Amino acid sequence: MVSKRFVAKRLLLLVPVLFGVATVVFAILHLAPGDPARLIAGQRASREQYRAVREALGLNQPLWRQYLDFLVNAVQFNFGRSYQPGGFGRPVREVIADTLPVTIELAVYGQLIGILIGIPLGILSAVKQDSLTDHATRIGALSGISVPIFWSGPLLILAVATPPLSLFPTSGRIGVGFTPGSDFTRHTGLVTVDTLLSGNLPAFVDAVQHLFLPSLVIGIYSTALISRMMRSSMLEVVRQDYVRTARAKGQGERITLMKHGFRNALIPVVTIIGIQFGTLLGGAVLTETVFGIGGIGTTLVAAISNQNYPVVQGTVLTFALLFTLVNLGVDVTYSYLDPRIDQ
Amino acid sequence: MSTPTESDVPTESRGLLERIRASPFLSELLQSRIAVAGLVIIATMVAVAIYSRVQMLFLAAPEGGLTSLRALSEAVSAGPTPVTDSRLGAGVEDRAPPGWAGAAPLDQQLFGTDQQARDIYSRTLYGAWLALKWGTITVGLSTVAGVGLGIVAAYYGDVTDNVIMRTMDVLLAFPSLLLALALVAIFPEDLGLVRAVAALTLVYTPRFARVVRGAALKVLEDEYIDATVALGAADPRVLVRHILPNCLAPITVQSTLNFGLAIIDLAALSFLGFGAQAGTPSWGLMLSNGVEFGLLSGRWWMSFFPGLFLAVTVLGFNLLGDGMRDALDPRMREAID
Amino acid sequence: MDVDPLLEWARPRLRVLGTALAAGFALGVAATVVLPVVVGQTARVKTFAVGALLLGFGTLGWSGSAMAGRGIENAQRYMDTGSDWSEDDSRRAMTRVGSFGAGLMLAVPLVTAARG
């Protein structure tokens, strides 16, 4: 079973992971074209103003010193203030704290839809291999990964969220009638959770309506990926000997598949779900753009195009941390599913 | 067309035909309905792309007609065309597709127009040319880089192999779109679409390196390579003459599967503003236009048509790739995901 | 012969680390001396940054292999992908990449200091 030592070891490994990402991110800043000091000071700044900004950014320090300072700050998740033309904006830490829950909420709902539909669909497809159901599922899944999120999203909006139907709001994550802070208190940053915790039911319903379409868009994509994986993994397991033995003992075909196949077929699928979580985050970036939801994905995109490097550094490090933590969770689930693996 | 008789066919090409007929890969591939459906879709898209490119060249042709292809293609990229520039005020209105309220006559603007009154039909068709062209460049570059790295890793083994392949593994662990976004930040903005191509090439190379290394190792295991080495053939000759031809099938499958992904990712980067320059009729940019100007005004055609072409093209490559993978020798199939 | 077990353990690892570090340092010195003449002063910053990129990448790969190592090995056993991936190889390769980068990074300030 999962030992505490195993989890502790994995958590300890987060240190080099974060050191590695922070170093890469430092490199990106210095490899990227453009002069951040010039960007902040503006093209018409005087020599003194420009020098002052350089000093404020620490760019006048020797390189190794800049690197060490950056590492010390990054460990504390301090990336300074975001750039704005003509000065500095909000602290990056605040920006991340505001936008990260938005993306997590989307990704989790999308992933849930994918798991709840994708796994049964994959099993069905494998059990009825080469039947019409199987072919339909496979073609459906193949279409699901071929349809880009930035097409399925707009189409869904045009179909059900604009007149004449107008069943759902077209953008945002909660209506303008509800103000975070006054209508519901911020506990987690996840609107669906916060509104519930505050006991504001109309706000909760409104938040669910807002998040339904974007989650669905991610969910469709995730369903396609997971069902494909589940099918091939299931078929793989069925081919293995012990299932054949169980079948020879005279149990019904379907029970055999379920009993022996499911648990074992789930193992690679769990791994894939972890790895695929990153793809999902990429999908969340696109979904946020389509639905005008200000998550960490749109923040990263905006920061890259504005050369707002502190924000780029902070968001990239956050993405890496998130990705690693999810895979840590996957690892733990994995060892739970497969007790044969000794830790 | 007359069927060539035995004597018409030169010996060499007859050998090729026979080899194709005898190849279990190709014959199985052609029996797969999925693969054939993919092939048909891709062929159609290629035809559309070439048609719209040729049409564009004629539109841009100077008074004297066709002079040289180079002059033409320069004229296309320089001059204002109905495909790239706003048509507002040019006597063309902002229109819905035929059959809808406020629609154009049936022979004009089949897919309607966008907010700048540009004809979506010709833009979407031209988008096929752009997608296939840049997709080919991206996949081509990563294939070449991946093949090189994979073969070198397999042939030299040991430290070289480890450093190359483990580096590839780490790159593979990152989600492709996020990695591409992080890489895009390193390249200067004025590179435009080239910036996206460069980032995606770096993202895709590991996939090819892994497939090629796996296939190359299997070839190297066969005795005849040992024999060639014993006869004193120089390294590059062994690599190129013996390993490469035998890796061709898995490389082709990986390229096909990756082609669909490349088209989607290129469009996604353009959609997010890191690809094609404003005005370019790329599908990703048209979709971004559709979200910005088409959603609230209900101009569904701005998103629908470019997205449909994009999805169908990608589906074509995914169908063909899936069919190919099933037709592939199981020994080679392992390395491809 | 009485060999210290710690030394026994450390020696091959230090050799991998040291060789790559030295190689990186040598290249870094060369780059810091030659490149500024050819492409200008930004070359030092870029050399340092490339070193940081490699160091970060190597560390990431090293910890990634240690963290996901078992998982990947098992997933590959299950999926029968027939690759000979192993955690040990991966960590050794990443140590090489990382220390090469560290060597590059070290060279830049040292050369700069030496030349004033």
Side-chain angles (χ1 to χ4, degrees):
Chain A
M1 267 302 109
V2 191
S3 68
K4 273 185 197 143
R5 207 171 145 253
F6 167 73
V7 178
K9 197 180 141 203
R10 294 294 142 107
L11 281 173
L12 209 62
L13 274 170
L14 279 179
V15 177
V17 166
L18 290 183
F19 166 76
V21 180
T23 307
V24 168
V25 150
F26 174 84
I28 289 179
L29 170 69
H30 287 272
L31 284 175
D35 178 0
R38 178 58 65 199
L39 204 77
I40 294 172
Q43 292 300 329
R44 277 175 297 172
S46 69
R47 192 174 284 259
E48 282 70 41
Q49 283 172 313
Y50 173 72
R51 200 168 290 158
V53 173
R54 263 184 81 83
E55 229 160 85
L57 289 173
L59 288 175
N60 54 339
Q61 303 273 1
L63 272 171
W64 60 270
R65 182 68 195 277
Q66 287 183 39
Y67 174 61
L68 289 184
D69 285 347
F70 175 78
L71 279 186
V72 170
N73 286 323
V75 168
Q76 305 161 44
F77 233 83
N78 175 14
F79 298 95
R81 290 167 170 277
S82 73
Y83 296 172
Q84 253 174 14
F88 292 98
R90 300 169 62 204
V92 175
R93 213 186 333 202
E94 269 179 34
V95 174
I96 292 173
D98 277 357
T99 51
L100 178 63
V102 178
T103 303
I104 290 186
E105 197 170 23
L106 265 186
V108 166
Y109 287 138
Q111 183 75 286
L112 267 181
I113 295 177
I115 292 172
L116 290 180
I117 306 176
I119 289 185
L121 219 54
I123 296 176
L124 189 72
S125 197
V127 173
K128 303 194 164 188
Q129 195 189 356
D130 290 327
S131 71
L132 193 65
T133 323
D134 182 30
H135 288 310
T137 312
R138 286 181 75 188
I139 302 274
L142 212 51
S143 312
I145 52 173
S146 304
V147 170
I149 276 179
F150 46 100
W151 188 48
S152 55
L155 285 193
L156 268 176
I157 293 178
L158 285 162
V160 297
T162 52
L165 285 181
S166 301
L167 294 176
F168 297 95
T170 53
S171 69
R173 39 179 216 146
I174 195 148
V176 280
F178 303 97
T179 330
S182 63
D183 289 298
F184 57 93
T185 8
R186 185 193 154 99
H187 299 281
T188 56
L190 315 167
V191 273
T192 46
V193 177
D194 283 350
T195 47
L196 260 194
L197 286 178
S198 309
N200 190 340
L201 210 61
F204 172 72
V205 173
D206 191 65
V208 170
Q209 279 179 335
H210 273 86
L211 286 178
F212 180 76
L213 285 185
S215 308
L216 186 65
V217 169
I218 299 182
I220 292 172
Y221 187 70
S222 156
T223 302
L225 280 178
I226 293 179
S227 71
R228 265 165 78 89
M229 186 50 60
M230 192 69 209
R231 177 182 181 274
S232 63
S233 163
M234 198 78 183
L235 289 177
E236 195 74 40
V237 172
V238 175
R239 266 181 236 129
Q240 281 167 14
D241 282 329
Y242 57 95
V243 179
R244 224 175 290 152
T245 320
R247 194 182 294 166
K249 281 198 227 146
Q251 296 181 26
E253 179 108 349
R254 219 161 278 183
I255 302 169
T256 319
L257 270 173
M258 287 311 291
K259 261 186 153 168
H260 297 266
F262 182 64
R263 193 179 168 111
N264 290 293
L266 217 51
I267 292 168
V269 172
V270 166
T271 315
I272 298 302
I273 287 176
I275 295 168
Q276 180 235 311
F277 184 75
T279 316
L280 214 68
L281 287 178
V285 175
L286 294 164
T287 313
E288 287 167 19
T289 310
V290 171
F291 287 90
I293 298 171
I296 199 167
T298 38
T299 307
L300 173 65
V301 168
I304 294 176
S305 29
N306 301 331
Q307 295 181 304
N308 196 342
Y309 291 119
V311 178
V312 175
Q313 293 174 330
T315 43
V316 168
L317 198 62
T318 310
F319 270 126
L321 184 63
L322 205 61
F323 188 58
T324 321
L325 283 178
V326 167
N327 279 293
L328 173 69
V330 164
D331 249 21
V332 175
T333 321
Y334 192 98
S335 51
Y336 168 78
L337 279 171
D338 192 0
R340 276 177 297 173
I341 301 161
D342 60 309
Q343 303 305 341
Chain B
M1 215 191 281
S2 66
T3 347
T5 59
E6 286 286 305
S7 56
D8 288 338
V9 184
T11 338
E12 254 180 43
S13 71
R14 188 169 66 210
L16 186 71
L17 279 176
E18 261 161 30
R19 250 193 294 167
I20 289 176
R21 226 170 275 144
S23 152
F25 176 62
L26 278 171
S27 60
E28 216 173 295
L29 186 67
L30 290 174
Q31 276 168 17
S32 154
R33 265 177 291 176
I34 285 188
V36 171
L39 263 179
V40 170
I41 293 177
I42 295 168
T44 315
M45 278 302 162
V46 170
V48 165
I50 293 174
Y51 162 78
S52 69
R53 176 66 177 171
V54 168
Q55 195 189 33
M56 179 75 127
L57 288 175
F58 273 104
L59 273 176
E63 279 295 296
L66 283 164
T67 45
S68 77
L69 266 182
R70 162 167 254 172
L72 266 181
S73 102
E74 272 163 16
V76 169
S77 39
T81 65
V83 170
T84 50
D85 292 290
S86 170
R87 305 291 290 163
L88 285 175
V92 192
E93 290 154 43
D94 179 3
R95 281 167 171 157
W100 294 77
L106 204 59
D107 59 333
Q108 284 172 38
Q109 288 111 29
L110 196 60
F111 294 171
T113 65
D114 64 10
Q115 86 284 358
Q116 292 190 324
R118 289 174 296 198
D119 179 21
I120 292 186
Y121 172 74
S122 48
R123 280 171 71 79
T124 303
L125 258 50
Y126 197 71
W129 164 262
L130 290 176
L132 291 176
K133 174 183 158 191
W134 290 105
T136 309
I137 293 174
T138 311
V139 173
L141 287 176
S142 27
T143 307
V144 170
V147 166
L149 287 171
I151 289 187
V152 166
Y155 191 82
Y156 292 101
D158 204 28
V159 180
T160 319
D161 184 21
N162 260 316
V163 171
I164 293 180
M165 290 323 291
R166 297 318 143 227
T167 308
M168 297 292 118
D169 285 342
V170 175
L171 280 174
L172 267 175
F174 291 105
S176 66
L177 189 60
L178 289 181
L179 184 59
L181 273 178
L183 288 173
V184 142
I186 303 181
F187 298 103
E189 201 180 346
D190 47 7
L191 283 178
L193 204 50
V194 175
R195 180 160 79 139
V197 170
L200 287 176
T201 301
L202 284 173
V203 174
Y204 296 149
T205 298
R207 299 160 189 258
F208 288 97
R210 205 169 62 162
V211 171
V212 171
R213 176 182 173 273
L217 276 181
K218 295 215 166 70
V219 178
L220 281 168
E221 274 167 20
D222 293 348
E223 279 167 49
Y224 68 92
I225 294 281
D226 287 341
T228 329
V229 174
L231 284 174
D235 291 356
R237 242 182 77 191
V238 180
L239 292 175
V240 176
R241 295 264 320 259
H242 294 278
I243 303 183
L244 199 54
N246 285 291
C247 301
L248 232 46
I251 295 174
T252 317
V253 177
Q254 184 68 29
S255 308
T256 310
L257 282 168
N258 226 76
F259 213 110
L261 194 65
I263 290 179
I264 278 206
D265 282 349
L266 278 171
L269 286 177
S270 288
F271 178 81
L272 293 172
F274 302 114
Q277 252 130 17
T280 316
S282 91
W283 290 333
L285 217 53
M286 292 175 78
L287 280 165
S288 138
N289 247 335
V291 167
E292 199 175 342
F293 301 104
L295 277 193
L296 297 180
S297 57
R299 291 191 189 101
W300 55 267
W301 53 92
M302 281 179 69
S303 299
F304 181 77
F305 294 108
L308 180 69
F309 272 65
L310 171 57
V312 168
T313 311
V314 174
L315 182 64
F317 281 104
N318 282 344
L319 286 171
L320 180 62
D322 250 33
M324 274 179 156
R325 184 167 41 188
D326 290 345
L328 201 61
D329 175 352
R331 282 200 315 158
M332 297 291 192
R333 202 181 299 159
E334 292 168 352
I336 300 167
D337 49 10
Chain C
M1 272 280 272
D2 194 30
V3 186
D4 187 350
L6 186 70
L7 201 69
E8 186 99 335
W9 176 87
R11 192 175 287 156
R13 286 163 177 79
L14 282 177
R15 195 184 303 131
V16 170
L17 203 99
T19 320
L21 195 75
F25 188 78
L27 188 72
V29 170
T32 323
V33 172
V34 177
L35 282 181
V37 183
V38 189
V39 290
Q41 279 305 312
T42 53
R44 282 182 186 171
V45 179
K46 301 288 177 198
T47 310
F48 190 82
V50 169
L53 192 65
L54 291 177
L55 172 63
F57 190 82
T59 319
L60 206 56
W62 183 88
S63 41
S65 335
M67 185 176 263
R70 281 276 171 68
I72 295 177
E73 276 174 25
N74 286 315
Q76 294 202 329
R77 203 183 65 219
Y78 272 109
M79 293 194 267
D80 196 25
T81 49
S83 109
D84 48 0
W85 195 91
S86 90
E87 191 190 321
D88 270 3
D89 286 349
S90 179
R91 281 161 66 163
R92 205 172 309 129
M94 282 304 137
T95 310
R96 284 205 172 86
V97 173
S99 13
F100 184 83
L104 268 182
M105 288 172 79
L106 269 179
V108 179
L110 287 180
V111 170
T112 314
R115 311 183 94 209

